[in-house]
Amino acid sequence: MNIIDDIILHSPALIVAIPLLGAFLTPLISKINDKVRNVFVISIVLFTSAIVLLLANDIYSACGKIHTYVFGGTAAITEGGFAVRILFEVDGLNIFMAIITTILAISGVIYSWAFMKENTGLDKYYTLYLLMIAGMFGMILTGDMFNFFVFLEITSIASCALIAFWTSKGKAVDAGFKYIVISAIGALFILFAIAILYGQYNALNMAVLASNIQFSFLDKIALVILISGLAMKAGIVPMHMWLPDAYGRAPASVTLILVGVTQASLYGALRMIFTVYGGKLTTTINQIGDVNIDLNLLLGIFIVGLALVTIFIGVLMALKENNFKRMIAFAAVAEIGYIILAIGAALTTVFSATDPRTGIMALKGGIFHILNDALDIGLLFLVAGAIYYATKETSLNRLGGLARNMKYTTIFFLIGLLAVSGMPPMNGFASKLMIYESTYQVNPILSIIAILCSILLLAVFVKVFHSAFLGPKLPKFDNVKEVPKSMLLAMGIIACIIIFIGLFPDLVVNNIVQPAVNALTNNSNYINNVIGGI
Amino acid sequence: MIYNIPYIAVVALIMIGLYAVVFKRNLIKIVIGILLIENGVNLFLITLAFRQDSIAPIYRGTGSRLMSLPVPHALTLTSIVIGVAVLALMLSLIIHIYRHYGTLDARKIGREEE
């Protein structure tokens, strides 16, 4: 057995362990000097990414392959049928989220090199940064409910400290406090739901829970608490109030990872709904006349309602906002709305016996949009950070004429603008078109609202483009120079991926998104991989 | 009935905690609310572990008696440790907020113009 096979075998543990180890080595390494530390952190992230890619290659090599890694043993179930071992279970959806995290982490650390250079306390910054990445990978890869909670808390503690990193600004500390309150309550809700499930089924393993779940009254309560806890973390209206503050006040390199954290919570919600409760989604809840109201229909309608409110509020608040980063943050709220709109629409139709194609299409669009949203919003935040770095201004009223001095940043912003508002040929167009198409078949009004809000989003960003980059040269910005190369490189990586996905959406949908959708719609694979023997 | 009292306490703790978080304006009281929720959840986990007439899950070699479940105890310990970390972080943020604004009233914080 050669070393590559060994690494692949242990990859789920290594993906979490390497950034964790790196995090606590960083303070030691930074005693040497700053450059060595930066190179060390970047190499840790690159090494982790290489392992993620190896694992991804392994997962995609066979259709529906699942990599299960059990800590402290080989079998997931011990003798006597106790499912007490902690395990990581990686299927198409997990690896899809891990790839997103990888892209964000790489560009985040490269961007940090120049962006954070003038700050003190960078050893702590990088320690927390790697902790956040490790926690995120843990949340994404784990197959154990309690482990999910632990990694969720690791991520939220690290990210809260990073949001309040610029403690000299009162608003940053305020944003950090808001974030920790919301995420602590959200995490406790999740723990409560986990306790309810454990009390009934005596298991914490997602696959074992999914196979045993009875959908009793307590399970319904647990489902509601789980979804509301995860929705708090994902920033879905009406629990979105922490999000613009946290995104807006954190350093731009941190905001990039925060986008990933939000989506990891969204992944959690997907995993709970489609896998843990997957077998019971078609249970009939209520009967009106001859029509059966199934759980998936009820849940789908509820999620679609939340999604519409989320899109509306996000776009409208973005219209009136004057602070550059807060405005992008509201756009991020709206984008999350698009994802859950697609997921809600998929829930209503994907289990119908006659025609599941619409649902599959909506699910594909939603999952694809998770990737695109991370890239688009991430790029915009990096551009906003670059502008802050160059001018020390955040208010749009005091910006102008920057295109003359910062031409590369302008191009990147233009790419991000077109991508986020769903214009061809960027990646946002591909996924949004899938969402429009499928929601139109569910209900035309949904797609009309979605398209309208997308146009409004375009209007918002054209306004920003005009007020920040175009117009006469302002005398106070005479000395503004293009940002350092490492920031340009980070933005360039994301911009290239955006254009690549925009030009070849088929490639991505067929190779990466399709396995994720298969993993969601068919949870028996996930269950059998663990239960298997008995 | 007597075995249901812990569950009632759990619900009461969580409700009081949520009330404090939602309606109180003082940041310290919000933190206390979060702690109450956390204690409620921990109490719930501990209660789930308990079986009537059971002993602590340690083998002592004096015959087998009914033991309470060890897994929720482990979960509770982890949750307490995490809770301490969150508490420390929240309080340190509150110190910073007090230095900046000179108040802990949630209505007066973060409203300044940039």
Side-chain angles (χ1 to χ4, degrees):
Chain A
M1 185 186 265
N2 61 24
I3 186 129
I4 298 286
D5 288 339
D6 254 352
I7 289 181
I8 290 176
L9 179 65
H10 295 286
S11 53
L14 286 176
I15 289 170
V16 179
I18 289 174
L20 206 60
L21 183 72
F24 292 108
L25 279 181
T26 309
L28 284 180
I29 303 270
S30 57
K31 294 283 178 211
I32 305 172
N33 74 37
D34 284 2
K35 212 168 209 170
V36 175
R37 177 200 58 211
N38 289 357
V39 171
F40 172 74
V41 173
I42 290 181
S43 54
I44 286 278
V45 172
L46 285 179
F47 190 43
T48 316
S49 318
I51 298 178
V52 171
L53 290 184
L54 275 179
L55 179 60
N57 190 25
D58 185 47
I59 299 266
Y60 292 136
S61 66
C63 182
K65 183 168 182 181
I66 296 179
H67 189 114
T68 309
Y69 185 82
V70 184
F71 286 85
T74 46
I77 316 281
T78 54
E79 290 162 38
F82 297 109
V84 288
R85 281 186 178 147
I86 291 174
L87 58 86
F88 279 11
E89 193 167 4
V90 188
D91 67 359
L93 183 63
N94 299 85
I95 200 69
F96 175 76
M97 296 302 296
I99 289 173
I100 296 176
T101 312
T102 310
I103 298 171
L104 294 181
I106 292 178
S107 37
V109 284
I110 294 177
Y111 189 85
S112 304
W113 187 316
F115 184 72
M116 298 302 289
K117 204 170 193 171
E118 289 151 24
N119 294 279
T120 53
L122 281 188
D123 48 340
K124 287 140 199 139
Y125 170 83
Y126 279 115
T127 305
L128 289 168
Y129 209 79
L130 286 178
L131 263 182
M132 201 163 155
I133 292 170
M136 224 155 80
F137 274 126
M139 267 169 87
I140 287 164
L141 298 181
T142 186
D144 185 279
M145 296 288 263
F146 190 72
N147 217 0
F148 181 80
F149 163 77
V150 171
F151 281 117
L152 185 86
E153 284 282 24
I154 291 177
T155 319
S156 54
I157 289 172
S159 46
C160 163
L162 282 176
I163 289 168
F165 188 73
W166 286 331
T167 42
S168 58
K169 292 178 187 162
K171 284 196 172 184
V173 184
D174 177 43
F177 186 76
K178 255 185 207 167
Y179 179 76
I180 194 72
V181 167
I182 293 292
S183 59
I185 295 175
L188 287 173
F189 273 27
I190 293 165
L191 182 60
F192 191 60
I194 293 172
I196 292 177
L197 290 176
Y198 177 82
Q200 292 181 86
Y201 305 113
N202 205 8
L204 290 165
N205 193 310
M206 287 182 195
V208 175
L209 272 178
S211 70
N212 287 346
I213 208 150
Q214 299 297 319
F215 207 61
S216 60
F217 176 66
L218 279 173
D219 288 343
K220 288 178 198 170
I221 295 179
L223 179 64
V224 170
I225 297 176
L226 263 180
I227 292 182
S228 49
L230 286 164
M232 268 187 207
K233 292 276 302 170
I236 294 165
V237 174
M239 280 89 85
H240 70 294
M241 67 286 186
W242 62 270
L243 197 142
D245 282 320
Y247 279 20
R249 305 296 164 193
S253 49
V254 175
T255 314
L256 182 69
I257 307 291
L258 270 180
V259 175
V261 172
T262 319
Q263 288 176 339
S265 317
L266 207 60
Y267 152 78
L270 283 178
R271 182 57 86 199
M272 300 305 162
I273 294 174
F274 281 95
T275 301
V276 176
Y277 283 83
K280 297 291 164 189
L281 275 178
T282 45
T283 323
T284 303
I285 300 273
N286 205 343
Q287 229 169 4
I288 302 173
D290 290 339
V291 187
N292 291 340
I293 309 291
D294 292 348
L295 172 66
N296 60 347
L297 190 65
L298 201 70
L299 209 58
I301 291 172
F302 178 69
I303 291 178
V304 165
L306 274 184
L308 291 181
V309 179
T310 309
I311 295 176
F312 251 126
I313 295 207
V315 171
L316 292 183
M317 293 298 283
L319 263 179
K320 68 168 272 287
E321 191 58 54
N322 257 328
N323 182 308
F324 199 165
K325 281 188 78 186
R326 275 176 68 90
M327 203 196 76
I328 303 171
F330 278 117
V333 173
E335 291 288 299
I336 292 278
Y338 279 100
I339 299 171
I340 60 170
L341 175 68
I343 290 164
L347 265 177
T348 56
T349 49
V350 79
F351 294 105
S352 83
T354 50
D355 184 23
R357 282 215 313 280
T358 316
I360 299 278
M361 176 77 133
L363 210 50
K364 262 191 210 167
I367 301 284
F368 192 19
H369 202 62
I370 295 181
L371 171 65
N372 294 342
D373 163 59
L375 296 175
D376 305 348
I377 295 288
L379 180 63
L380 285 175
F381 273 121
L382 290 190
V383 170
I387 288 172
Y388 176 76
Y389 180 86
T391 64
K392 300 287 173 231
E393 280 288 353
T394 53
S395 170
L396 286 172
N397 296 337
R398 292 196 290 270
L399 287 171
L402 287 175
R404 287 157 213 278
N405 292 345
M406 305 170 72
K407 49 179 184 295
Y408 293 115
T409 312
T410 313
I411 293 170
F412 290 139
F413 184 75
L414 206 56
I415 292 173
L417 179 163
L418 292 176
V420 86
S421 46
M423 300 296 267
M426 302 304 170
N427 60 357
F429 172 72
S431 55
K432 277 192 177 169
L433 191 68
M434 287 165 94
I435 295 178
Y436 300 151
E437 220 181 308
S438 52
T439 47
Y440 184 82
Q441 284 164 19
V442 175
N443 193 337
I445 296 171
L446 297 180
S447 66
I448 291 170
I449 293 176
I451 293 174
L452 269 180
C453 287
S454 211
I455 294 169
L456 276 178
L457 216 54
L458 181 65
V460 171
F461 281 107
V462 167
K463 185 188 92 180
V464 179
F465 186 63
H466 178 76
S467 65
F469 291 97
L470 303 182
K473 200 170 188 171
L474 295 183
K476 64 178 171 180
F477 293 143
D478 270 350
N479 300 328
V480 168
K481 283 198 288 291
E482 185 57 85
V483 291
K485 286 201 184 64
S486 89
M487 291 163 74
L488 287 180
L489 177 63
M491 289 190 273
I493 292 173
I494 298 189
C496 285
I497 299 174
I498 285 179
I499 294 177
F500 176 79
I501 297 177
L503 292 179
F504 307 103
D506 266 13
L507 216 60
V508 180
V509 170
N510 290 338
N511 291 326
I512 303 182
V513 177
Q514 187 64 50
V517 171
N518 289 345
L520 276 185
T521 47
N522 185 3
N523 73 340
S524 55
N525 240 345
Y526 192 88
I527 297 171
N528 289 337
N529 206 278
V530 171
I531 308 289
I534 19 177
Chain B
M1 176 61 203
I2 192 85
Y3 290 106
N4 283 335
I5 286 179
Y7 295 111
I8 296 169
V10 166
V11 173
L13 275 173
I14 292 178
M15 285 301 160
I16 295 169
L18 274 180
Y19 170 82
V21 172
V22 175
F23 291 106
K24 289 294 171 190
R25 300 291 181 187
N26 189 312
L27 297 189
I28 298 275
K29 286 183 185 165
I30 292 177
V31 172
I32 292 174
I34 292 174
L35 280 186
L36 282 177
I37 300 176
E38 191 196 315
N39 290 339
V41 175
N42 286 344
L43 180 63
F44 184 53
L45 276 167
I46 287 290
T47 317
L48 288 178
F50 185 72
R51 295 284 179 273
Q52 197 172 348
D53 295 327
S54 64
I55 58 168
I58 304 167
Y59 283 107
R60 298 196 188 89
T62 57
S64 62
R65 276 187 65 193
L66 191 63
M67 291 175 179
S68 53
L69 293 171
V71 176
H73 294 173
L75 304 190
T76 314
L77 270 180
T78 319
S79 152
I80 288 172
V81 172
I82 292 171
V84 170
V86 172
L87 173 68
L89 195 60
M90 283 193 291
L91 290 181
S92 65
L93 287 177
I94 286 181
I95 293 172
H96 275 290
I97 288 175
Y98 190 76
R99 278 196 198 135
H100 277 288
Y101 298 101
T103 174
L104 288 180
D105 190 337
R107 281 167 295 190
K108 293 176 186 149
I109 288 165
R111 306 248 179 240
E112 82 272 16
E113 284 296 310
E114 289 174 82

